[in-house]
Amino acid sequence: MDALRLSDRIRRIFLYGSLFIFGFVLIFSVGLFLIVKSVNEIYRESYLINAYNHFANLFSSVSSKVVDPEIILLELDENFVDKRTKVDYLRFVSSTSHFPALVGGFSGIFAKTNSAKVIFPKEDGYLLVEIPQEHFSKHVPGKRAVVLLIDSFENEVVLSSVPEYVGKKVVINKKKGILSLNGSLGFFEIKETSVSNAKLALFVPLTTYLVDLAPYLVVSSFALFGAIFWLYFVLQYERRLMNSFSFVFEEINKETSKTVQGKETHFVPVKTEIEELNELQESIVRLLEAEKAAQAEMHSMMESLQDTINELEETQKVLEERKFQIIAALAEAIEVKDVGTKGHSDRMVMLALELAKELGISDPAELEAIKFGALLHDIGKIGIPEHILNKTSRLTLEEFEIMKMHPIYGEKIVKNISGWDLVADVIRHHHENIDGTGYPDGLTGDQISLRAQIVAMVDVFTALIEDRPYRRALSIEEALKVIENEMVGKKFSAEIYEAFKRVLNRLLKEKGTGFLQES
């Protein structure tokens, strides 16, 4: 399961809660719509259709004059004069010319109360039918909803199942299905009758819906407000929880930062309303105490370890010094055998290391190879007979071939020493020339390692300024002139030669010529 931040969890609860409330409101609205629709259908069947059927039967029975005794019938001639009493009723029909029609307003003619007057055409005149309010109230129910007989010309209630609505003007909003009657709003439905300007209307006041839907509304409202309050209290709890966590975590972060920085920590638990958070803080206190103890123990171990490391480093230095002394003694033994080379290797070590640094070499392994390579470059001369080494005249070809073996002998001597592969490379190739005329392998250019070229450069220079059995020592200027005229471009590259001159000039300024004298 993916981990969630507390703030993200609160947002999710709010989102899901909002979606739940939205869904509840949607279901409530759909349910309310369906219930209202069912209520309308019930009232329509029970009130409006019943009233319509009653009037349909009443109007169909008028021609046979078999009607309820409460209904008053008058036979009129073509001029709307009562055939029996000769009373003129033309005033009632002045506003209409299409029959049957509702005429004469809502006031009764013969009825003691209000009534509806309808004129039906006949072959020899007209028939005036007066329907009293008492008849309408008796045959059309009106307890929860109201059935109205409306004069559509005047928008006036002529008969009503609730008598106090008679004579009231009605305002109908057909788009919204709302009717305003006597200051009351309600939903309505109109049904046409066989009388041109008479319409039957079902009026259901809003108060009726409230009474009928009260149980549904009460239960739904309690459920909705319950869900809202539940979401509110959950969010309030989550916010308090988040505030408590934020405060505690801020304190924890401060103390852990001190721990990382090596400072002393002192975390004091903060009392909150959440017991689990209080327990967490107590656990953190125990962890910090354990961390302090571990830090102290580790500090003690580190001090002990550092002492051991210091001892090892000192021992290593001593070993390195002794190793160098042994190697130096070996080099000196070679020089003792080779007359005229005393101090040669020591001078080479110093000049070779300075030249390496001038050329940008900083790798410790390379510098070590150059140092010991310079010191032991002629170690192979141990295998060369002394009469060849110390011969005062030019060597014969056979003797020179024997002398050319000393780099190979030297490589064999040091190659078996672990980690001295680079030193062996210097010893074998310090007599190679960049033009390929050197020995023992006849390497050219970049085939010769830079470390071997450095030692070769220093070896030639120091050899030229030293006395040898077969010639006298040259001055520094003479030696440089010989190298520049006869060896640059053949034995050495111009780059290495120029770097060597810079090193030599700097050392001469700093130390004079004493560092080049025999030791």
Side-chain angles (χ1 to χ4, degrees):
M1 182 181 293
D2 294 336
L4 287 176
R5 294 182 66 86
L6 190 57
S7 57
D8 295 333
R9 193 177 296 277
I10 291 175
R11 280 193 288 270
R12 284 197 177 186
I13 291 175
F14 178 76
L15 175 62
Y16 295 151
S18 300
L19 290 175
F20 171 78
I21 292 173
F22 175 77
F24 184 89
V25 171
L26 182 62
I27 294 172
F28 169 80
S29 302
V30 172
L32 183 64
F33 171 77
L34 294 175
I35 292 175
V36 170
K37 186 177 180 181
S38 299
V39 169
N40 283 343
E41 190 64 27
I42 291 171
Y43 283 129
R44 181 177 181 276
E45 293 291 335
S46 302
Y47 289 78
L48 185 61
I49 300 301
N50 181 47
Y52 177 81
N53 292 335
H54 177 75
F55 274 95
N57 293 332
L58 176 62
F59 292 156
S60 64
S61 63
V62 165
S63 58
S64 61
K65 299 181 182 179
V66 181
V67 296
D68 192 290
E70 296 173 339
I71 306 300
I72 301 169
L73 300 177
L74 295 178
E75 292 191 22
L76 307 179
D77 62 16
E78 295 177 352
N79 297 316
F80 301 98
V81 176
D82 188 343
K83 292 181 179 180
R84 187 172 60 82
T85 62
K86 305 301 180 183
V87 176
D88 186 358
Y89 291 98
L90 181 62
R91 68 183 184 277
F92 291 110
V93 299
S94 59
S95 61
T96 184
S97 59
H98 299 283
F99 299 99
L102 189 65
V103 299
F106 57 86
S107 298
I109 300 176
F110 297 100
K112 295 179 181 180
T113 58
N114 300 322
S115 67
K117 282 75 68 179
V118 182
I119 293 181
F120 292 90
K122 294 177 56 180
E123 293 181 359
D124 58 348
Y126 298 93
L127 184 63
L128 175 62
V129 179
E130 184 175 16
I131 306 169
Q133 173 64 45
E134 291 85 350
H135 176 84
F136 191 86
S137 299
K138 182 168 59 176
H139 292 281
V140 179
K143 292 182 180 180
R144 306 290 291 276
V146 183
V147 179
L148 309 171
L149 182 64
I150 300 174
D151 183 345
S152 60
F153 290 163
E154 301 294 333
N155 283 334
E156 186 177 58
V157 178
V158 179
L159 294 177
S160 170
S161 57
V162 179
E164 55 262 32
Y165 288 151
V166 175
K168 304 298 183 181
K169 294 289 186 180
V170 295
V171 180
I172 300 173
N173 187 333
K174 291 186 177 180
K175 289 183 178 180
K176 295 184 178 180
I178 298 175
L179 181 144
S180 175
L181 179 64
N182 198 29
S184 298
L185 287 177
F187 295 94
F188 77 98
E189 183 177 345
I190 291 179
K191 193 168 183 63
E192 302 288 342
T193 66
S194 58
V195 179
S196 61
N197 63 332
K199 300 181 186 297
L200 280 172
L202 173 67
F203 175 64
V204 185
L206 293 180
T207 53
T208 298
Y209 286 108
L210 292 177
V211 172
D212 290 342
L213 300 176
Y216 178 78
L217 293 175
V218 169
V219 172
S220 299
S221 298
F222 271 110
L224 177 61
F225 285 116
I228 292 174
F229 281 125
W230 171 83
L231 179 61
Y232 172 76
F233 286 119
V234 167
L235 290 176
Q236 287 295 104
Y237 175 78
E238 292 282 357
R239 285 195 176 93
R240 289 200 302 272
L241 182 64
M242 187 174 72
N243 290 336
S244 299
F245 266 100
S246 297
F247 181 76
V248 170
F249 285 154
E250 184 178 351
E251 293 298 315
I252 292 173
N253 287 333
K254 287 180 181 177
E255 298 304 317
T256 51
S257 297
K258 291 180 181 178
T259 302
V260 172
Q261 296 169 6
K263 298 179 180 178
E264 184 178 356
T265 60
H266 184 65
F267 178 70
V268 179
V270 180
K271 189 68 176 176
T272 68
E273 299 176 0
I274 296 105
E275 188 60 32
E276 290 79 0
L277 188 56
N278 295 333
E279 294 175 358
L280 175 63
Q281 293 184 83
E282 294 296 334
S283 298
I284 290 171
V285 169
R286 291 193 292 272
L287 284 175
L288 289 175
E289 292 298 328
E291 174 68 17
K292 285 181 182 178
Q295 288 279 358
E297 184 177 355
M298 182 177 291
H299 183 69
S300 176
M301 290 176 60
M302 290 297 292
E303 288 182 346
S304 176
L305 181 61
Q306 187 60 49
D307 292 340
T308 303
I309 291 172
N310 292 339
E311 290 176 3
L312 290 174
E313 288 178 349
E314 289 296 325
T315 302
Q316 179 69 18
K317 287 180 182 178
V318 172
L319 291 175
E320 288 288 337
E321 183 63 29
R322 288 179 180 175
K323 181 178 75 172
F324 184 75
Q325 289 173 357
I326 292 170
I327 295 170
L330 181 59
E332 188 173 351
I334 298 167
E335 292 174 357
V336 169
K337 182 178 180 180
D338 188 3
V339 179
T341 60
K342 186 179 180 182
H344 175 73
S345 296
D346 291 336
R347 288 189 288 274
M348 278 191 61
V349 170
M350 185 266 293
L351 288 171
L353 289 176
E354 291 295 327
L355 178 55
K357 293 175 184 177
E358 180 69 21
L359 291 170
I361 296 176
S362 58
D363 183 0
E366 290 285 339
L367 293 174
E368 184 181 76
I370 292 169
K371 174 182 177 181
F372 291 115
L375 191 61
L376 299 174
H377 68 288
D378 279 340
I379 190 172
K381 287 183 178 180
I382 290 176
I384 305 299
E386 288 186 21
H387 72 275
I388 296 177
L389 289 176
N390 298 320
K391 186 175 181 180
T392 57
S393 60
R394 183 181 295 273
L395 297 177
T396 66
L397 290 177
E398 291 80 5
E399 290 171 337
F400 185 61
E401 288 300 323
I402 294 173
M403 179 64 77
K404 286 166 61 177
M405 292 298 293
H406 82 272
I408 297 175
Y409 296 157
E411 180 194 31
K412 287 181 179 181
I413 292 171
V414 302
K415 197 169 187 180
N416 292 326
I417 300 175
S418 177
W420 270 34
D421 291 341
L422 301 183
V423 177
D425 169 72
V426 172
I427 293 173
R428 183 180 181 93
H429 297 132
H430 74 280
H431 280 295
E432 298 285 357
N433 300 332
I434 63 172
D435 64 357
T437 60
Y439 61 88
D441 300 316
L443 302 180
T444 62
D446 292 339
Q447 291 178 332
I448 309 169
S449 65
L450 182 57
R451 71 186 82 88
Q453 293 185 57
I454 290 172
V455 172
M457 175 78 247
V458 174
D459 184 29
V460 169
F461 174 76
T462 54
L464 289 174
I465 64 171
E466 294 169 354
D467 286 326
R468 292 299 168 93
Y470 50 87
R471 62 160 175 80
R472 67 173 181 81
L474 301 180
S475 67
I476 294 174
E477 292 76 12
E478 289 172 335
L480 291 176
K481 189 172 182 180
V482 169
I483 294 172
E484 185 171 349
N485 292 336
E486 300 178 12
M487 300 181 187
V488 174
K490 297 177 182 179
K491 186 172 183 62
F492 314 112
S493 68
E495 179 185 0
I496 291 179
Y497 174 66
E498 293 298 329
F500 177 74
K501 285 201 302 183
R502 291 195 297 272
V503 169
L504 187 61
N505 289 332
R506 185 177 73 249
L507 292 175
L508 288 172
K509 287 181 181 179
E510 294 174 359
K511 301 180 179 182
T513 60
F515 74 96
L516 294 175
Q517 302 299 318
E518 291 184 359
S519 55

